Amino acid sequence: MSKPDVVAGILWLGATLYAVFGGADFGAGVLSLISERDGELGSRARARINRSLTPVWEANHVWLIFCLVVLWTAFPRAFGPLMETLYVPLTAAAIGIVLRGSAFAFGHAFSGRTKRRSEQVFGLASVITPFFMGCVVGAVAAGAVPADGAGEPFSSWLAPLPILVGILFVTSSTYLAAVLLRDDARRGGDPELFRYFTRRAIGGAAVAGALSVAGVFALRSDARFLFDGLTGPGLPLMIASLLMGTLVLVGLVKGVERGLRPLAAGALVAVIWGWGVAQHPYLLPENVTIDAAAGAPQTLTAVIIVFIFALLIVGPALIFLYRLSQMQVLED
Amino acid sequence: MIVDVAFALPLAADNLLAARETMAFTLGFHIVLACIGVALPALMLIAEYRGRKYDDADALNLARRWSKAAAVLFAVGAVTGTVLSFEMGLLWPKFMEQWGDVFGTGFAIEGIFFFTEAIFIAIYIYGWNRLEGWKHFWTGVPIVIAGIGGAFSVVAVNSWMNQPEGFTLAADGSVTNVAPIDALLNNATAYEFPHMLLAAYMVTGFGLASIYAVGWLKGRRDRRHRLGFIIPFAVAAIATPVQLYVGDVAARGVADHQPAKFAGFECVQETGPNQTEWIGGICTDDGVEYGIGIPGLNSILVGFSTDTVVTGLNDIAPDERPPANTMLHLAFDGMVGIGSALLLLAGWFGWSMWRRREPPASVWFWRGAAVAGVGSVLAMWMGWIVTEVGRQPWIVQGLMRTEDAVTDAEGLWFVFGGAVLLYTALGVIAYKAVRVLSARDDELAGIPYGPPGPEPEIESVEAER
Ligand code: HDD
Ligand code: HEM
Ligand code: HEM
């Protein structure tokens, strides 16, 4: 494996962790928005979401920073064109991030009407942000970002595939969050809430599954290169994902209590890595390869070293945080 | 002046200006919260240390209430920082494309510090009830370290823009021999990093103390308010003299390595020895008018002798001179002036604490302290204006012009307008949120008065309980 490939792997790992942790975070926001209609149970759901998210949301989102930074440091020749072409959905995602994070924090300070409104903004922004991020990823997949960055500002992402990926980001995040929160509800000793999130997870799984099928067709027509990769070298991972997803769904329907979290996350991870394998050696499919995008070799080495330090320092700290959070040591 | 330009030019639909204004505005917003993120954890820890060591309930109460406000402010700091990361690429794609791999390592290292900060902040803030005693205190220590490290790595990037090092420029313009560590440890980092770190401690220390100084003027003089004033003010007061020393070093560094910037903010028109140091005034082609001049002092400050030759704008190519020299000059003088005023205030405080173990009793001291927070924020903003506007027309000093780095994307003025609206709302709501939190704390502590001013949300706080 060449040095740029190693760093691309690091980038992909960051993206995976963001998809899992950040995704669950967004999904929890979507669930909070949906729960508005569910009366007393809904407000219990929101309280649960709030308690689960409060200590970890900021850390969950540092993965995004990590990806941006690795992208522009290690692959400046991909970062520039990406930003130049897809500035519209990227700006929208940035606005979503601001609204989401600050509304969530404000929800803790205020009470009454202001609190409710903060929660609503938080929920809406939890839909907008992953949607536009999905559009960005979909547009990249469709090969809409040329090497010189002079892509179309609108038609690059206002197309079936990017929009489908956007919706898929929202729904799969929601599904993942419901599976995770289901566990939290069980641990918190609330069987009714456990069943509530189980229903949400099943619903999410159904929608995300149907969209994925549609996605396969969209890929076939709009991103042939990626489609070939996914059905070629990426196929084992896609099958693994399908299997895990099916197992989760069966488990949900049967009311299995434990062990679904890693499977649900695993299904997502397998798709992301299948995708990575499929688009290799491109970073921006069919336009910019990993090697062509890569920055100076000394910088790539530096990024690898920084990453090792991050593993040693941040890894244990993150585990510590999640442990404390699970043990309900952290509270408002 | 910036405001004038900002309003006059939407008509010209100038991308470059829109991008610059957007960058400046969002950075100016983020940096205030970043200062709090860097320095407030240390203040909380000092209070907690005192509380635990001496069984001081007031001190513990302060640490707790500060950490509640911190939860809100850090969140806004984190999201505005995330936006900045987007902006680097959205506004300056060509800058990132050409130089990202040279200076990027700084941001990569910063990632580690952000993680550390986000993780331990959460543990610290939400661990008050369940983490026992000193264990809780120690979860705060990594935050302080992460704040220092984060400030270092991001400021090192800015220093690199001012004094780019750590690479070789080949004849065809391509960048080779990149040395990431050399890029970070460039000449300017040596003074920009400590200067910014100290600024963070001054902004946060004086800012927090200001709130209690206002309370003192309104008659809130119990032990908790006194302590709430002394801890942050003392920290800021210690930082102040060091800050002025570092600023002095910085000025010489700029004179040596960025003569155009120095000539711009000091309004030096003709190269030569025995330069006059001008205080205030307006910068014209013939030098400063309406200012107070101290003959020879400028040369002395740069080289400790009136014989020191200072480069003037006449030796800088016209299209490489910094813009808006009057604004630069006044911004520089404003920073130095406020810094000197704060030094006096800090000295007064130190003297009084030494002689009487009490802050000064004079109402003038407390009035000064009440505006010291705003003053240090202003000083910091002005410092950044000197640094950033003074570097123009370069985004990378001497190597890339800002106009060559800017995006071709359309509608940037809408982005700027949207940013102003969104951030203004954010600032107002964050301010209110902190006020509500502190009012709630007062109630919980059975203190009959809240913070000064109207408290529209108090009823709903009660209604909830
Ligand atoms: C509390 C804030 C504060 C105070 C009291 C001062 N400064 Fe400052 N100054 C800053 C906050 C600041 C800053 C905002 O933090 C800057 C912007 C970039 C940097 O590194 O620090 C800065 C930049 C800056 C620069 C430009 C550096 C460059 O372009 O690379 C110079 C020459 C000085 N300062 C000099 C001084 C002097 C001589 C001071 C007092 C005697 C002083 N500063 C007080
Ligand atoms: C340490 C991190 C910082 C970095 C990496 C940084 C980077 C940049 C970049 C890339 C630009 C646009 C290009 C240019 O105009 O040269 C810029 C402009 C600007 N920044 Fe900074 N900046 C930093 C901190 C700050 C802070 C904290 C402030 C303000 C409080 C600030 C104020 C400005 C201003 C006023 C401009 C516009 C200058 C002009 O075009 O006239 N900067 N900065
Ligand atoms: C171009 C310049 C800058 C960029 C791109 C930037 C980027 C960011 C990002 C992405 C975050 C969020 C991290 C998180 O999620 O926790 C952040 C927060 C932070 N930044 Fe900046 N930043 C810039 C300028 C500065 C400057 C000049 C300083 C200080 C000297 C600074 C200090 C901090 C600190 C301390 C935090 C943590 C915020 C908090 O918890 O309150 N940043 N910044």
Side-chain angles (χ1 to χ4, degrees):
Chain A
M1 238 167 66
S2 71
K3 214 195 279 180
D5 277 349
V6 173
V7 181
I10 292 176
L11 177 65
W12 223 255
L13 185 65
T16 310
L17 289 162
Y18 185 53
V20 173
F21 291 106
D25 217 276
F26 288 127
V30 181
L31 287 169
S32 147
L33 187 68
I34 305 176
S35 74
E36 296 272 337
R37 297 178 290 122
D38 299 337
E40 196 273 331
L41 193 56
S43 44
R44 239 158 63 213
R46 281 197 297 285
R48 176 71 260 167
I49 289 169
N50 214 338
R51 225 169 312 140
S52 297
L53 234 52
T54 297
V56 295
W57 76 269
E58 210 178 316
N60 286 345
H61 284 274
V62 184
W63 290 114
L64 171 64
I65 320 285
F66 176 87
C67 293
L68 282 172
V69 165
V70 171
L71 188 59
W72 82 48
T73 306
F75 303 106
R77 256 69 71 190
F79 181 75
L82 180 75
M83 290 281 167
E84 275 181 286
T85 299
L86 294 171
Y87 62 91
V88 179
L90 283 164
T91 305
I95 294 172
I97 289 170
V98 174
L99 290 177
R100 200 183 115 85
S102 38
F104 188 69
F106 295 152
H108 285 254
F110 296 111
S111 50
R113 265 227 327 269
T114 325
K115 184 186 178 77
R116 302 277 303 125
R117 210 161 301 145
S118 303
E119 283 182 351
Q120 281 157 359
V121 172
F122 166 67
L124 281 174
S126 300
V127 178
I128 295 173
T129 315
F131 171 74
F132 283 111
M133 286 178 175
C135 291
V136 170
V137 171
V140 170
V145 180
D148 65 357
E152 293 296 326
F154 287 95
S155 59
S156 55
W157 60 279
L158 276 176
L161 180 63
I163 292 191
L164 195 66
V165 177
I167 301 175
L168 198 56
F169 265 42
V170 179
T171 46
S172 56
S173 298
T174 311
Y175 150 74
L176 182 64
V179 175
L180 301 185
L181 285 164
R182 183 177 170 269
D183 246 37
D184 284 356
R186 180 179 57 79
R187 222 177 299 237
D190 189 338
E192 206 185 339
L193 203 58
F194 172 78
R195 286 191 295 275
Y196 173 86
F197 283 125
T198 303
R199 285 196 300 279
R200 290 274 171 267
I202 294 174
V207 180
L211 284 170
S212 307
V213 175
V216 172
F217 287 99
L219 276 175
R220 215 177 101 92
S221 73
D222 293 355
R224 188 68 208 207
F225 173 78
L226 205 63
F227 178 83
D228 291 343
L230 285 173
T231 48
L235 195 60
L237 282 162
M238 300 313 279
I239 294 176
S241 170
L242 199 65
L243 278 178
M244 287 190 262
T246 316
L247 277 178
V248 177
L249 192 57
V250 172
L252 286 171
V253 173
K254 297 217 154 188
V256 173
E257 289 197 346
R258 287 159 199 270
L260 295 189
R261 287 176 174 224
L263 276 178
L268 188 61
V269 173
V271 174
I272 296 170
W273 283 85
W275 185 306
V277 170
Q279 77 165 54
H280 192 84
Y282 286 107
L283 202 55
L284 302 175
E286 297 193 85
N287 292 321
V288 181
T289 61
I290 291 173
D291 285 340
Q298 299 89 333
T299 303
L300 298 184
T301 309
V303 169
I304 295 173
I305 294 173
V306 170
F307 175 72
I308 292 171
F309 269 101
L311 277 186
L312 295 178
I313 298 169
V314 177
L318 265 180
I319 293 169
F320 183 48
L321 173 67
Y322 289 124
R323 284 274 297 279
L324 288 181
S325 165
Q326 293 267 294
M327 287 155 55
Q328 321 261 344
V329 171
L330 305 177
E331 55 190 32
D332 227 337
Chain B
M1 213 136 321
I2 281 220
V3 180
D4 285 350
V5 187
F7 281 96
L9 269 118
L11 304 171
D14 176 349
N15 243 12
L16 177 59
L17 195 64
R20 283 158 64 175
E21 300 285 335
T22 308
M23 196 71 202
F25 176 74
T26 48
L27 270 162
F29 192 95
H30 175 71
I31 190 71
V32 178
L33 295 155
C35 284
I36 298 173
V38 168
L40 188 56
L43 300 180
M44 298 189 301
L45 281 189
I46 293 172
E48 181 172 0
Y49 179 84
R50 206 193 143 80
R52 299 214 183 276
K53 176 109 191 200
Y54 303 104
D55 244 337
D56 183 338
D58 285 332
L60 269 184
N61 174 299
L62 287 170
R64 264 188 106 125
R65 63 167 59 216
W66 292 346
S67 82
K68 279 196 192 156
V72 174
L73 297 173
F74 292 176
V76 182
V79 292
T80 52
T82 309
V83 169
L84 281 175
S85 307
F86 277 81
E87 278 177 50
M88 296 293 280
L90 289 172
L91 299 176
W92 318 103
K94 289 155 194 141
F95 167 56
M96 304 305 286
E97 205 171 326
Q98 181 161 3
W99 303 103
D101 54 344
V102 184
F103 67 72
T105 314
F107 281 112
I109 296 173
E110 200 196 18
I112 299 186
F113 291 119
F114 281 161
F115 264 121
T116 316
E117 172 136 1
I119 291 168
F120 284 97
I121 272 283
I123 297 175
Y124 185 85
I125 293 177
Y126 301 113
W128 273 106
N129 294 335
R130 307 284 294 274
L131 287 170
E132 292 295 315
W134 286 101
K135 229 190 256 172
H136 181 262
F137 173 85
W138 286 108
T139 62
V141 174
I143 318 173
V144 177
I145 299 168
I148 297 170
F152 168 80
S153 29
V154 74
V155 172
V157 174
N158 185 272
S159 308
W160 179 86
M161 290 162 58
N162 284 325
Q163 294 186 30
E165 288 172 34
F167 59 90
T168 319
L169 205 57
D172 64 348
S174 65
V175 178
T176 57
N177 282 333
V178 174
I181 302 294
D182 291 353
L184 287 184
L185 299 180
N186 62 70
N187 247 316
T189 308
Y191 53 82
E192 271 203 38
F193 162 58
H195 203 50
M196 181 61 231
L197 186 65
L198 291 161
Y201 275 87
M202 286 177 72
V203 163
T204 311
F206 283 129
L208 186 55
S210 285
I211 298 172
Y212 290 94
V214 171
W216 193 93
L217 288 168
K218 293 195 170 170
R220 277 165 225 159
R221 301 178 187 182
D222 57 73
R223 183 166 177 284
R224 186 170 60 84
H225 277 84
R226 182 175 166 276
L227 203 57
F229 176 80
I230 290 178
I231 293 174
F233 198 90
V235 168
I238 294 169
T240 305
V242 191
Q243 175 73 323
L244 299 206
Y245 167 72
V246 178
D248 183 48
V249 174
R252 270 191 297 282
V254 174
D256 286 348
H257 298 282
Q258 294 184 277
K261 181 189 276 184
F262 188 83
F265 71 69
E266 290 283 29
C267 194
V268 182
Q269 299 298 327
E270 299 278 337
T271 304
N274 209 4
Q275 295 283 352
T276 305
E277 174 77 25
W278 291 99
I279 299 172
I282 289 175
C283 183
T284 68
D285 292 346
D286 307 320
V288 174
E289 281 177 29
Y290 315 113
I292 304 166
I294 305 172
L297 183 62
N298 192 346
S299 286
I300 294 179
L301 287 175
V302 172
F304 307 106
S305 147
T306 50
D307 296 335
T308 310
V309 174
V310 179
T311 309
L313 289 168
N314 65 325
D315 276 340
I316 311 285
D319 68 343
E320 293 182 5
R321 292 177 193 162
N325 289 359
T326 301
M327 180 184 81
L328 289 177
H329 177 63
L330 293 179
F332 181 72
D333 282 4
M335 167 172 65
V336 177
I338 292 174
S340 311
L342 291 173
L343 182 67
L344 287 180
L345 205 63
W348 192 352
F349 173 81
W351 172 261
S352 177
M353 288 304 282
W354 178 47
R355 302 309 299 209
R356 325 187 290 130
R357 319 227 115 247
E358 276 296 323
S362 161
V363 73
W364 283 105
F365 171 78
W366 292 92
R367 286 184 184 147
V371 295
V374 176
S376 25
V377 173
L378 287 176
M380 180 198 50
W381 277 338
M382 291 192 275
W384 276 109
I385 287 176
V386 172
T387 303
E388 303 287 288
V389 182
R391 185 183 57 244
Q392 302 307 315
W394 304 104
I395 188 167
V396 182
Q397 178 70 43
L399 294 173
M400 182 184 238
R401 284 175 172 267
T402 313
E403 66 200 34
D404 297 329
V406 73
T407 176
D408 301 322
E410 282 169 36
L412 282 191
W413 282 110
F414 290 104
V415 172
F416 175 63
V420 171
L421 289 179
L422 184 63
Y423 278 28
T424 307
L426 216 57
V428 170
I429 301 174
Y431 174 78
K432 281 196 179 156
V434 171
R435 293 282 290 275
V436 170
L437 283 173
S438 121
R440 198 182 297 173
D441 274 345
D442 281 346
E443 271 187 82
L444 290 178
I447 297 158
Y449 41 71
E455 291 149 40
E457 305 281 346
I458 272 281
E459 290 152 50
S460 47
V461 172
E462 273 166 0
E464 191 196 29
R465 257 188 277 120

